[in-house]
Amino acid sequence: MSATPAIHLDGVSLALAGRVILDRLDLDVAAHGITALIGPNGAGKSVTLRVIDGLLRPDSGTVRLTPGRRAFVFQRPALVRASVSANVALGLVSLKLSRRERAERIAAALARVGLSERANDAATRFSGGEQQRLALARAWAMQPDLLLLDEPTASLDPAATETIESLIAEMARAGTTVLLVSHNLGQVARLADETVVLAAGRAVERGPTRAVLFSPRTPEARAYLTGELPWTSFAAAS
């Protein structure tokens, strides 16, 4: 762990509609590499990303981020009714690039996800998988310091998933700190340097990915990884 983490959450709590989602969550994310958040449905993974991005304000606790550009790719991509190129360009508005540099970044990003020939198409006519690739192209073009990913390949076929995973790994190698939420444990094993297990709004285990996935220390992590915790959590919430 870096001496100064890219993300620091200290005692963060949040309730929505009377239900506690985050329960005094403590979380540090290293200022390099890829960290995965895993855990059952309802554990607070997606909400944690939204709190980090400032989309949700916690009821208590502290959220600290190192300064820099931040990009968030949602499970359901947030696109506007415009061309593919225009959607990528939206992510570059605040960077004050020259027209030439902006065009170069857009072209490179679309090429990287295999959408060059669709640059002038309407983004809203894309399939779910194509929209996710476009959202990742927009993030890649921004060259963010921090990239938040919420199930980025949930709707993609294996070939597109491989393309996106390669892009995520490339961004991490280039210096972007990546925080990834995924239910795909194979993807977590392939990509993540560190893994954090959330359960009932708390971080119950963290460590090197292989150690967490194959030798979990805590009962909650062991239960989740053997498929038990999602069902017990569902029953408790019913």
Side-chain angles (χ1 to χ4, degrees):
M1 175 66 66
S2 169
T4 304
I7 301 169
H8 175 72
L9 273 60
D10 182 11
V12 170
S13 294
L14 175 66
L16 297 173
R19 176 174 173 244
V20 174
I21 308 297
L22 302 182
D23 184 13
R24 293 164 289 173
L25 173 63
D26 296 326
L27 176 67
D28 282 344
V29 175
H32 56 79
I34 300 173
T35 299
L37 287 181
I38 65 173
N41 291 333
K45 303 181 298 297
S46 296
V47 169
T48 297
L49 293 187
R50 284 160 173 75
V51 166
I52 291 168
D53 198 48
L55 298 175
L56 290 173
R57 184 174 180 176
D59 300 321
S60 60
T62 302
V63 179
R64 289 201 300 269
L65 309 179
T66 55
R69 289 192 297 273
R70 187 168 68 243
F72 193 152
V73 176
F74 298 88
Q75 185 173 354
R76 294 182 179 180
L79 304 176
V80 299
R81 293 181 178 275
S83 71
V84 167
S85 290
N87 271 273
V88 176
L90 279 176
L92 304 177
V93 170
S94 64
L95 303 187
K96 299 181 181 179
L97 304 174
S98 68
R99 181 176 298 178
R100 178 178 178 178
E101 188 174 3
R102 184 169 61 249
E104 288 175 348
R105 286 207 195 185
I106 292 170
L110 292 178
R112 188 64 184 80
V113 298
L115 292 175
S116 294
E117 296 182 358
R118 309 288 302 277
N120 296 317
D121 289 358
T124 51
R125 295 182 181 176
F126 271 16
S127 68
E130 289 170 331
Q131 289 187 9
Q132 194 69 304
R133 286 158 63 193
L134 174 55
L136 280 157
R138 180 168 58 196
W140 186 85
M142 291 174 62
Q143 299 177 6
D145 299 288
L146 173 62
L147 176 61
L148 305 173
L149 299 170
D150 192 0
E151 298 284 358
T153 61
S155 60
L156 304 188
D157 61 30
T161 294
E162 183 178 2
T163 296
I164 295 308
E165 288 184 359
S166 176
L167 176 59
I168 294 167
E170 181 180 338
M171 293 177 73
R173 287 193 298 269
T176 297
T177 297
V178 179
L179 183 57
L180 164 72
V181 166
S182 180
H183 280 99
N184 185 335
L185 297 184
Q187 179 175 86
V188 170
R190 289 188 295 271
L191 289 178
D193 304 295
E194 296 268 326
T195 293
V196 179
V197 182
L198 296 189
R202 291 189 177 187
V204 297
E205 184 160 345
R206 73 162 300 139
T209 293
R210 289 191 63 84
V212 171
L213 294 184
F214 300 111
S215 302
R217 303 183 309 276
T218 63
E220 296 93 338
R222 287 195 297 269
Y224 169 66
L225 291 166
T226 56
E228 297 174 9
L229 190 53
W231 299 107
T232 58
S233 292
F234 179 82
S238 297

